[in-house]
Amino acid sequence: MAAATTHNIARLDQLTNLDLTWNFSQVFGDRVERDEEIADADIISAVRFNHDGEFLATGDRGGRVVLFERSQDEANPCEYKFYTEFQSHEAEFDYLKSLEIEEKINQIEWLRRCNSSHFLLTTNDKTIKLWKVSERPVQIETDGATVGQGLRIPKIHRTADVQTEARQKRTYANAHTYHINSISVNSDDETFLSADDLRINLWHTGIGDNSFNIVDIKPDNMEELQEVITAAQCHPLDCHVFMYGSSRGSIKLGDMRASALCDQHAKMFEMP
């Protein structure tokens, strides 16, 4: 054991002493000159790799999600190519609050792949959506046999070509009063968290009209508000553990085994 540790330390020293060279590899989209104005809808607002790094998802302020697939070319294994694109969110208007809801994608989360399809969660300020991205063969219609009194029955043939399609499977809405700043898929791949400035909700992917509030830091008097939630993340292995950060620079650990409402954190990390 000691010999292995000494070997690892020596190897680390060798890597530290090497001069690492970083090279520009790839750019997605068109190059923009310094004096050229960029459309606001084209500005990327979210980026996320899937679990094995074979796919990359990007979201922009226009509500679009673009997927890239890793190239299978052994000569250039770090290159990604366009896979598909779909419109995830549209601009909406909240008539009760007289507030316009932007279509900007705040965050993208991949669910672990269990079949040939991909499942993604996307969110803007108010609404979370579950998308299924899959490939299916292109089918063409050809002339078939004629039966009866001139009745022609067409034949459907599958071709070698495939087309990629994105379908919205479920919508999770009307659960956040404030803007959603983060979503996080749990280790069980059945539940996920969504967080806004003052609350964190727990959802089941199969239920879109109901969620459980697990953190609520909103005071009775808003003038007594001292901090807001800035981000929330599930534990990578334990589905009952999660963490969230606050505007005061602290990180709080919550354990859903201790209480259904985790306003009282199990542990807090902060600078002394």
Side-chain angles (χ1 to χ4, degrees), residues 133-187:
V133 180
S134 57
E135 296 180 354
R136 62 184 180 92
V138 177
Q139 298 180 342
I140 59 174
E141 179 181 321
T142 60
D143 293 335
T146 302
V147 297
Q149 299 178 351
L151 179 62
R152 178 173 296 175
I153 300 178
K155 288 185 177 180
I156 304 297
H157 292 279
R158 288 189 174 186
T159 66
D161 299 329
V162 295
Q163 66 179 11
T164 304
E165 63 177 8
R167 289 187 295 171
Q168 181 180 324
K169 301 296 291 182
R170 194 158 280 109
T171 300
Y172 313 92
N174 304 321
H176 286 279
T177 305
Y178 305 95
H179 291 176
I180 299 173
N181 54 48
S182 59
I183 55 177
S184 179
V185 178
N186 223 327
S187 59

Side-chain angles (χ1 to χ4, degrees), residues 55 83 113-119 132-136:
F55 288 86
Y83 182 66
R113 194 173 184 178
C114 58
N115 52 34
S116 59
S117 302
H118 300 276
F119 289 89
K132 177 183 179 181
V133 180
S134 57
E135 296 180 354
R136 62 184 180 92

Side-chain angles (χ1 to χ4, degrees), residues 11 50 78 88 116 134 147 173 207-208 223 226 257 268 272:
R11 179 60 179 166
N50 73 332
C78 294
S88 175
S116 59
S134 57
V147 297
I207 304 174
E223 294 182 356
Q226 297 181 348
R257 295 173 300 179
M268 182 170 66

Side-chain angles (χ1 to χ4, degrees), residues 65-125:
V65 173
V66 182
L67 303 185
F68 298 92
E69 182 182 15
R70 188 173 182 177
S71 174
Q72 301 301 320
D73 185 8
E74 295 182 358
N76 197 358
C78 294
E79 184 173 320
Y80 286 79
K81 60 182 180 180
F82 175 82
Y83 182 66
T84 190
E85 176 183 356
F86 58 91
Q87 185 72 32
S88 175
H89 287 72
E90 301 281 356
E92 302 176 19
F93 190 80
D94 189 340
Y95 292 96
L96 294 177
K97 297 182 178 180
S98 298
L99 180 67
E100 183 177 358
I101 303 174
E102 292 183 331
E103 62 270 36
K104 183 189 75 170
I105 304 298
N106 290 342
Q107 191 167 350
I108 301 172
E109 282 287 314
W110 295 80
L111 277 70
R112 291 189 182 275
R113 194 173 184 178
C114 58
N115 52 34
S116 59
S117 302
H118 300 276
F119 289 89
L120 302 92
L121 289 171
T122 63
T123 183
N124 65 350
D125 288 340

